[in-house]
Amino acid sequence: MEVMWRRPHVILTFLFLFINVAHSFYLPGVAPQDFVKGDLLKVKVNKLTSVKTQLPYSYYSLPYCKPEKIVDSAENLGEVLRGDRIENSPYVFKMREPQMCNVVCRFTLNTKEAKELKEKIDDDYRVNMILDNLPLVVPFKRPDVDSFVYQHGFPVGFKAQYAGKTEEKHFIHNHLAFTVKYHKDEETDAARIVGFEVKPFSVKHEYEGKWNDKTRLTTCDPHAKNSVTTSDSPQEVEDKKEIIFTYDVEFQESEVKWASRWDTYLYMADDQIHWFSIVNSLMIVLFLSGMVAMIMLRTLFRDISKYNQLETQEEAQEETGWKLVHGDVFRPPTNSNLLCVYVGTGVQFFGMLLVTMNFAALGFLSPSNRGGLMTAALLLWVLMGIFAGYASARLHKMFKGTEWKKITLQTAFMFPGILFAIFFVLNALIWGEESSGAVPFGTMFVLVLLWFGISVPLVFVGSYVGFRKPAIEDPVKTNKIPRQIPEQTWYMNPLFSILIGGILPFGAVFIELFFILTSIWLHQFYYIFGFLFLVFIILIITCAEITVVLCYFQLCSEDYLWWWRSYLTSGSSALYLFLYAVFYFFTKLNITKPVSGVLYFGYMLIGSYAFFVLTGTIGFYACFWFTRLIYSSVKID
């Protein structure tokens, strides 16, 4: 690595990338902002979301009131990939000045607009807004305890029977009762916004005479605290129906301080169940790990002592177990080039996850920084290309390989290429649905530029440095003629042992996996990165131990083909992850559209493939270290 750091352009490249990663952690609006009475508060609108379709749409794709000029907010790479479309809106408040029955706009629906609204209501779409970087929520009183449950955004509308008719009609929420909570500074008159809530209503507004700027609504009382409480006549969605959009604004002083204002959003689930599940999983895995470690240490100590005490040639010829295959255990495997590529890719993925979770656990990637987590993960993936090239080249040279450039190209293009191909197909499907979740051409170009312009060169740099280093020497010599592997018992069958090996690593993470899938597909925040990091450490320990144990049993049965099996043993946990994703789809989600189902399984396939590469690499290096350790600890004649 010393050679690499002597090159000034390499140092400048790393410095430039580090500045970009650090910049991605920051977004305007994250710092606290003080408001005095009368200051303008501008509400921004975000995408329309639905747990039924998983396809986001722009707010102005529906016939909502528009400002004089629509201005798009600056978004980072992660926000664009998430489908966020943050724009200005006609909703403007004055700090600590209540407003009642404010009319936003009035128009008549045409056939196309009515059809679009009905479709969004049928698909349970919700409208998302933002004020001072806080998302809009709808509070619901919990019947069992004295607390509230908050849902992100408000529904576009609802379906119900009306006027005694059996046929269900579509109704739109056209009156919004906003509540802005603020924390006031005791010494000054300034205040900070700590909450943004809404109660939506559907009201068929009425007025007398002809419509003009001074027209007053007879269905809305501007002098009441709640101008609209219930409506006996909701606003129906039909062709040529007139709709008047109105809103109220109420300001409430709160004891919640600005630094704690996100707690309401981050702790929506039942924390006690979450904590109990995590602790329970941790204790079980640690207990099993302790037992496995104790058994392995005692057994290995006895084996090594016995082998080193063999003095006569006759005793050496009668030896059995893992020492018997010492002349073949480090024989290069079949498809060694492919193994080098997968190991290098796993190192890259492991480094990206490790650094990302450290930043997240330290609070750099708060949900208030929208898209920061995804942006940081992408940039760190690009950075870790240097370690991917280094790992694959070192392993390739140990296998007596000479085509380091070929290995480098495969490492740089194979895994990202497969992911990009799947992503491109899924993006084409999203584009066909005219969803805002479709990645624009410019962003696709940026992703390709990051891949070809930065990641690929860094993989070559790491591979060049790794291949120039001396080859890793095996602790024992390899025989020229491979030894015949005896017939194995049924429980040592490769397929059986590989499938069994993936159960424990999956069992260590499946509880946390439930919360991660819920946050992704049910549009909830996930911010328990401390627990996630702990589960990640448990996953590493579990993958390493289960692979070492099965590798030891394999060598004791005189089967020396451990290279690929060590990778697949822990990597098979990805199969269980995908099966759990199938189970989650049919039990927890209510996705009905075929395109949405394809998107779900496409993205879960990408996630499972990445999990396979990660866990497989962990198991491989654990077994690699284990075999080198035990065979360097015994005397070989």
Side-chain angles (χ1 to χ4, degrees):
M1 296 292 288
E2 295 178 358
V3 177
M4 181 177 63
W5 297 118
R6 291 173 188 168
R7 300 176 181 271
H9 66 278
V10 176
I11 299 175
L12 291 175
T13 302
F14 269 83
L15 182 60
F16 173 77
L17 289 171
F18 178 79
I19 292 173
N20 275 277
V21 172
H23 178 71
S24 72
F25 296 151
Y26 174 79
L27 272 183
V30 175
Q33 187 172 358
D34 294 326
F35 297 96
V36 297
K37 188 175 182 179
D39 280 352
L40 291 180
L41 305 178
K42 297 181 179 180
V43 177
K44 294 183 179 181
V45 291
N46 201 347
K47 58 188 176 183
L48 307 172
T49 56
S50 169
V51 295
K52 274 190 174 182
T53 68
Q54 302 295 335
L55 293 169
Y57 285 91
S58 170
Y59 175 83
Y60 293 113
S61 64
L62 290 183
Y64 282 125
C65 302
K66 299 180 181 179
E68 294 182 359
K69 182 181 180 182
I70 297 177
V71 180
D72 294 327
S73 299
E75 296 175 340
N76 58 30
L77 182 60
E79 285 181 303
V80 176
L81 293 177
R82 280 162 32 102
D84 286 343
R85 296 295 182 269
I86 302 176
E87 299 160 313
N88 62 327
S89 77
Y91 295 95
V92 180
F93 312 150
K94 289 187 178 180
M95 185 64 178
R96 291 159 57 191
E97 293 185 4
Q99 304 174 45
M100 299 296 166
C101 297
N102 275 27
V103 177
V104 187
C105 70
R106 164 185 165 272
F107 58 80
T108 302
L109 291 177
N110 58 37
T111 305
K112 181 182 178 182
E113 293 170 340
K115 181 182 177 182
E116 290 175 347
L117 278 172
K118 288 180 180 179
E119 289 177 350
K120 295 298 185 291
I121 292 173
D122 287 335
D123 291 332
D124 293 342
Y125 270 87
R126 304 182 71 87
V127 179
N128 295 280
M129 295 182 175
I130 301 170
L131 178 64
D132 191 35
N133 204 45
L134 272 181
L136 181 69
V137 294
V138 178
F140 290 95
K141 185 75 168 60
R142 294 181 59 174
D144 52 341
V145 292
D146 188 21
S147 62
F148 286 89
V149 176
Y150 295 92
Q151 292 186 351
H152 296 289
F154 64 90
V156 173
F158 61 94
K159 290 177 65 177
Q161 296 178 357
Y162 176 64
K165 296 181 180 180
T166 57
E167 182 185 359
E168 287 189 333
K169 297 288 186 179
H170 295 79
F171 302 97
I172 185 174
H173 286 132
N174 61 324
H175 179 84
L176 303 177
F178 294 105
T179 300
V180 179
K181 296 183 177 181
Y182 64 92
H183 181 78
K184 188 177 179 181
D185 192 334
E186 297 179 356
E187 298 180 358
T188 65
D189 193 43
R192 293 176 178 176
I193 296 173
V194 296
F196 187 34
E197 302 174 1
V198 70
K199 290 183 180 180
F201 298 93
S202 180
V203 185
K204 185 179 180 181
H205 284 300
E206 297 178 356
Y207 54 92
E208 296 178 353
K210 291 186 178 181
W211 180 265
N212 55 55
D213 294 339
K214 297 182 179 180
T215 300
R216 288 193 175 184
L217 301 175
T218 58
T219 49
C220 188
D221 186 1
H223 302 292
K225 184 177 181 181
N226 297 315
S227 63
V228 175
T229 54
T230 59
S231 176
D232 296 330
S233 180
Q235 178 61 61
E236 186 179 348
V237 177
E238 283 295 340
D239 184 21
K240 298 180 181 179
K241 285 281 186 180
E242 181 186 62
I243 299 181
I244 300 175
F245 287 89
T246 57
Y247 71 93
D248 300 337
V249 185
E250 179 188 1
F251 290 87
Q252 292 181 2
E253 189 169 358
S254 173
E255 296 297 325
V256 177
K257 295 184 179 180
W258 189 89
S260 305
R261 67 177 188 163
W262 275 89
D263 293 353
T264 304
Y265 303 92
L266 301 181
Y267 302 105
M268 295 182 186
D270 196 331
D271 291 336
Q272 292 183 350
I273 296 177
H274 190 98
W275 281 65
F276 175 78
S277 301
I278 294 296
V279 172
N280 184 57
S281 176
L282 175 64
M283 296 305 296
I284 291 174
V285 172
L286 289 179
F287 176 72
L288 291 175
S289 301
M291 288 185 60
V292 169
M294 182 177 65
I295 293 171
M296 290 299 300
L297 287 174
R298 292 185 62 183
T299 306
L300 275 175
F301 181 77
R302 186 181 66 244
D303 288 347
I304 293 173
S305 299
K306 182 180 71 173
Y307 291 151
N308 287 337
Q309 289 173 1
L310 296 176
E311 297 178 356
T312 65
Q313 184 66 23
E314 291 77 10
E315 290 176 324
Q317 290 177 354
E318 294 176 358
E319 67 186 22
T320 58
W322 53 268
K323 186 183 178 183
L324 196 60
V325 295
H326 66 83
D328 298 276
V329 72
F330 292 106
R331 188 180 304 280
T334 56
N335 294 324
S336 60
N337 288 357
L338 185 62
L339 180 63
C340 295
V341 172
Y342 269 100
V343 170
T345 303
V347 169
Q348 183 177 10
F349 199 72
F350 178 85
M352 181 268 286
L353 274 182
L354 186 65
V355 178
T356 302
M357 279 195 283
N358 270 286
F359 277 120
L362 293 173
F364 288 105
L365 301 178
S366 167
S368 61
N369 186 350
R370 288 179 185 82
L373 181 64
M374 189 173 294
T375 305
L378 283 171
L379 293 177
L380 286 170
W381 168 267
V382 170
L383 277 171
M384 294 299 164
I386 192 169
F387 298 104
Y390 181 83
S392 60
R394 290 283 284 160
L395 195 60
H396 180 65
K397 191 170 185 179
M398 190 190 75
F399 290 149
K400 306 296 188 294
T402 56
E403 300 177 340
W404 70 274
K405 293 181 181 179
K406 179 181 178 181
I407 292 295
T408 305
L409 285 173
Q410 290 177 344
T411 305
F413 288 102
M414 185 175 174
F415 180 78
I418 294 174
L419 261 60
F420 190 83
I422 299 175
F423 176 74
F424 185 83
V425 173
L426 297 178
N427 191 67
L429 293 175
I430 300 174
W431 192 278
E433 295 292 323
E434 299 181 352
S435 168
S436 64
V439 178
F441 175 78
T443 306
M444 294 285 281
F445 179 76
V446 170
L447 293 176
V448 173
L449 186 63
L450 287 172
W451 180 13
F452 283 82
I454 302 179
S455 178
V456 173
L458 285 179
V459 173
F460 266 91
V461 170
S463 186
Y464 174 77
V465 173
F467 200 77
R468 289 195 61 181
K469 277 184 163 289
I472 301 174
E473 296 292 336
D474 298 330
V476 292
K477 293 183 179 180
T478 302
N479 296 333
K480 293 183 179 179
I481 302 176
R483 179 187 180 87
Q484 185 176 359
I485 300 174
E487 186 177 353
Q488 302 292 305
T489 56
W490 66 271
Y491 55 83
M492 289 308 299
N493 180 276
L495 181 61
F496 180 80
S497 62
I498 286 172
L499 293 177
I500 289 296
I503 294 177
L504 193 58
F506 171 75
V509 301
F510 88 95
I511 296 177
E512 198 67 21
L513 179 64
F514 170 80
F515 292 98
I516 294 174
L517 292 180
T518 301
S519 67
I520 294 175
W521 299 109
L522 295 183
H523 304 154
Q524 296 181 10
F525 284 117
Y526 183 89
Y527 193 58
I528 315 179
F529 291 111
F531 281 113
L532 183 62
F533 186 75
L534 182 61
V535 170
F536 182 61
I537 298 299
I538 294 173
L539 176 66
I540 295 173
I541 297 172
T542 309
C543 287
E545 288 188 345
I546 194 65
T547 308
V548 166
V549 170
L550 293 180
C551 181
Y552 173 74
F553 291 152
Q554 179 186 352
L555 295 176
C556 287
S557 62
E558 301 178 18
D559 183 357
Y560 53 84
L561 302 178
W562 63 272
W563 296 97
W564 271 109
R565 194 187 291 194
S566 66
Y567 196 99
L568 297 174
T569 295
S570 55
S572 64
S573 57
L575 174 63
Y576 298 101
L577 188 149
F578 188 78
L579 293 177
Y580 181 79
V582 175
F583 171 79
Y584 186 88
F585 177 84
F586 289 106
T587 58
K588 299 296 181 182
L589 300 181
N590 190 24
I591 293 177
T592 54
K593 288 190 175 183
V595 173
S596 302
V598 172
L599 291 177
Y600 174 83
F601 287 108
Y603 284 125
M604 291 311 302
L605 181 63
I606 291 176
S608 300
Y609 186 37
F611 194 72
F612 165 74
V613 172
L614 171 69
T615 53
T617 301
I618 295 172
F620 171 83
Y621 272 113
C623 202
F624 179 73
W625 168 82
F626 172 73
T627 51
R628 292 183 62 84
L629 178 66
I630 63 174
Y631 282 99
S632 61
S633 301
V634 295
K635 294 183 292 184
I636 305 294
D637 295 332

